[in-house]
Amino acid sequence: MSAQLSTENGQVFLAVTKAAVRRLLLVHTKLHPWLEAVFLPQSERFWRALRKSDDCDISWQLLVTRLALEVLPKALEPFAHRRFLLRKHRSRLENSSAIESEWNLIYRCSDLHRANYHAWEHARWLHNLCPSLFDFCLFAKTFQRHITDCSIGSFAIFLLQFSDHVDALFELVKSLIHIYPENLNLQRILQFDRDCCSSNQMSIYRKANNK
């Protein structure tokens, strides 16, 4: 059911799903631009126009993209716009609190929608931007919550190649493989290690990171 009425203390409440709101907005051609961004975040028209404008406050844009991802956690366009803002205003936004907020958003979207490859592609970009501000412990908690999710598994493989948390990741995987011996994510990570070790790539990588 997309809508439901309820009463409490003489007041009437109407509960409407996000999908119902989006369908309602689709039938209207004259939407306020910010409503379009939040409830129809896949509309490229709005984000393209916003990137060309310098009139809107950065904090407001970050808020709107966050709300849009609450509505549609797998939407590509809000993530792309956040990357645009972080690149354009790097000196202002590249600080520990802003980056921490960005990681929290990634984990939130991963919780809201499984197999969220757009969220973990954003995570790769963010890790490359500020690798020193990546908190492996927070990632490990998310990884354990979504241990069967291939999108987070692909990010774990990325960490094996481009992160200095290789040993911590393997320790985590080895502790979990005994509990979930049939888990494909864990098997792929261990297989990646075996493949790399057989070609000496992983040993070279570890030596480089230990310097």
Side-chain angles (χ1 to χ4, degrees):
M1 182 179 294
S2 60
Q4 184 176 356
L5 283 172
S6 62
T7 59
E8 183 178 339
N9 297 326
Q11 294 181 307
V12 179
F13 296 89
L14 176 63
V16 184
T17 64
K18 290 182 290 187
V21 173
R22 293 182 71 238
R23 285 196 297 269
L24 178 64
L25 291 173
L26 278 171
V27 302
H28 294 279
T29 57
K30 293 184 179 180
L31 288 178
H32 189 285
W34 294 111
L35 281 177
E36 180 179 350
V38 171
F39 289 102
L40 304 172
Q42 291 176 307
S43 173
E44 295 183 6
R45 173 184 59 184
F46 172 80
W47 303 110
R48 193 183 306 113
L50 190 58
R51 282 193 288 272
K52 295 178 181 179
S53 172
D54 294 323
D55 297 333
C56 190
D57 180 68
I58 302 168
S59 299
W60 176 249
Q61 294 184 58
L62 290 172
L63 173 61
V64 170
T65 53
R66 182 177 289 272
L67 291 174
L69 288 167
E70 286 284 338
V71 173
L72 196 62
K74 208 174 180 180
L76 169 62
E77 288 76 10
F79 279 123
H81 191 70
R82 292 181 77 88
R83 289 193 289 274
F84 166 79
L85 291 174
L86 286 167
R87 282 192 298 264
K88 185 176 181 181
H89 305 281
R90 185 167 180 172
S91 60
R92 176 175 171 181
L93 296 176
E94 193 177 326
N95 56 69
S96 58
S97 59
I99 300 301
E100 180 183 353
S101 176
E102 208 67 18
W103 280 111
N104 289 336
L105 178 63
I106 291 167
Y107 299 143
R108 169 67 175 165
C109 290
S110 180
D111 288 339
L112 290 173
H113 199 301
R114 64 174 286 108
N116 196 336
Y117 285 94
H118 290 319
W120 291 109
E121 182 60 33
H122 190 64
R124 290 182 185 86
W125 180 87
L126 187 63
H127 182 279
N128 288 337
L129 181 70
C130 299
S132 63
L133 295 178
F134 173 68
D135 188 330
F136 179 80
C137 292
L138 288 178
F139 167 76
K141 292 177 181 178
T142 305
F143 182 80
Q144 292 178 78
R145 285 200 306 273
H146 304 288
I147 197 166
T148 61
D149 190 330
C150 291
S151 63
I152 192 170
S154 68
F155 182 76
I157 295 292
F158 163 85
L159 289 179
L160 292 181
Q161 302 170 79
F162 303 105
S163 171
D164 58 359
H165 298 281
V166 174
D167 292 333
L169 180 56
F170 276 124
E171 287 301 316
L172 174 64
V173 170
K174 289 174 182 176
S175 69
L176 293 171
I177 195 69
H178 299 293
I179 306 173
Y180 309 102
E182 303 299 322
N183 184 272
L184 292 178
N185 271 340
L186 302 178
Q187 291 176 8
R188 289 189 184 107
I189 293 170
L190 293 176
Q191 183 61 46
F192 182 88
D193 182 39
R194 287 191 290 269
D195 292 344
C196 287
C197 286
S198 65
S199 62
N200 287 326
Q201 291 180 8
M202 184 59 74
S203 61
I204 293 172
Y205 173 79
R206 285 175 172 162
K207 288 179 181 178
N209 278 289
N210 288 331
K211 289 181 179 179

